[in-house]
Amino acid sequence: MPLTGGLLRAACRTVAASLLAMPALAQLPDAKPPASGPAARLPLVAPLLPAPLSTAPVERPGPACNMQQIPMFNAAMVEARTRLAAAVRLVRAQPEHPHIRQWFGNAPHQLVLGRLQRTATRLANTAGVDIHCNDPGRCSAGVGAYAVNLSRTLLDAQGRPAVTYRVHEGQVLGVCPPFFRARMDGTGTRWGILIHEAAHFAVDGQDHAYGRAASLALARENGTRAAENADNYKYFVETLPQL
């Protein structure tokens, strides 16, 4: 049936209304749909991972030692025991060896031998020693390790300190981030650090001098103090000549 003027105008209004109801082009997706069939691939979803830690495992704060720190500490302990045994053999077999004079000056070799033996004994049996790693309360800048003899103070009836005594086998050997960054060869080694700290425990070793040059100078100037100095034992063993 042919459209009359009225019907034609009504049809045009209907078509115009339909066009207005359609979404604008900006609203239509412009990406192509994924291909179908075997070649189609779904987008991968990244798994949720924890945020990366800001420090390496061996430098994380303690004082408990973690699973990355324990093998490094144990390897240093084994090496320290082996090197100390060699040092004891040298002093016992060759008491006038120039290496002894170099690091302990005119100190009696029996004194040096006895202190080396006690240091070796302390590292051979660490019963009663608590091992701490990266204790934030003690590992201040530049501290590689520390040795602490625990003590208690008795008070009198008025609450005043009466006497201080050392708790039997109450000791803490702590290592800090520089210990884990140290090497296992040359000087300044991880196992050398343990020898230094063990000397504090075993022979009440002192810190009269730090470092290789200062320890050598101490041996030249005062053999008695060199035989007390923890770093002299450390460097004596680290630089031990091959027999």
Side-chain angles (χ1 to χ4, degrees), residues 27-38:
Q27 297 173 298
L28 295 176
D30 54 7
K32 295 182 179 179
S36 60

Side-chain angles (χ1 to χ4, degrees), residues 162-179:
V163 63
T164 300
Y165 68 95
R166 186 167 295 170
V167 177
H168 181 60
E169 289 191 333
Q171 298 173 324
V172 174
L173 196 166
V175 292
C176 301
F179 169 86

Side-chain angles (χ1 to χ4, degrees), residues 188-207:
T189 60
R190 289 198 294 274
W191 52 269
I193 292 171
L194 295 184
I195 291 173
H196 175 112
E197 302 306 332
H200 284 301
F201 284 147
V203 299
D204 289 328
Q206 304 300 308
D207 289 321

Side-chain angles (χ1 to χ4, degrees), residues 74-89:
N74 288 343
M77 182 68 78
V78 169
E79 191 67 19
R81 291 167 177 166
T82 300
R83 302 290 185 121
L84 273 169
V88 168
R89 288 195 299 270

Side-chain angles (χ1 to χ4, degrees), residues 2-170:
L3 294 175
T4 62
L7 290 174
L8 181 60
R9 286 192 297 273
C12 289
R13 285 195 298 270
T14 300
V15 171
S18 299
L19 291 174
L20 290 174
M22 292 178 64
L25 290 178
Q27 297 173 298
L28 295 176
D30 54 7
K32 295 182 179 179
S36 60
R41 294 289 185 271
L42 292 175
L44 295 177
V45 178
L48 293 176
L49 299 176
L53 295 171
S54 59
T55 57
V58 296
E59 298 199 14
R60 291 175 190 165
C65 300
N66 63 41
M67 296 304 294
Q68 287 75 30
Q69 294 162 339
I70 291 172
M72 296 178 70
F73 182 91
N74 288 343
M77 182 68 78
V78 169
E79 191 67 19
R81 291 167 177 166
T82 300
R83 302 290 185 121
L84 273 169
V88 168
R89 288 195 299 270
L90 171 67
V91 179
R92 183 184 291 127
Q94 303 181 50
E96 300 302 322
H97 196 287
H99 191 67
I100 304 171
R101 303 277 73 81
Q102 180 183 22
W103 290 103
F104 299 107
N106 59 2
H109 80 273
Q110 287 293 345
L111 175 65
V112 173
L113 176 61
R115 290 179 174 176
L116 278 171
Q117 288 173 321
R118 292 198 296 276
T119 301
T121 298
R122 178 70 279 190
L123 283 185
N125 180 6
T126 56
V129 179
D130 290 333
I131 308 300
H132 291 180
C133 294
N134 297 352
D135 184 346
R138 291 192 175 272
C139 291
S140 57
V143 175
Y146 54 90
V148 179
N149 286 300
L150 302 180
S151 62
R152 298 174 185 169
T153 301
L154 296 180
L155 303 179
D156 61 18
Q158 286 73 39
R160 296 171 301 188
V163 63
T164 300
Y165 68 95
R166 186 167 295 170
V167 177
H168 181 60
E169 289 191 333

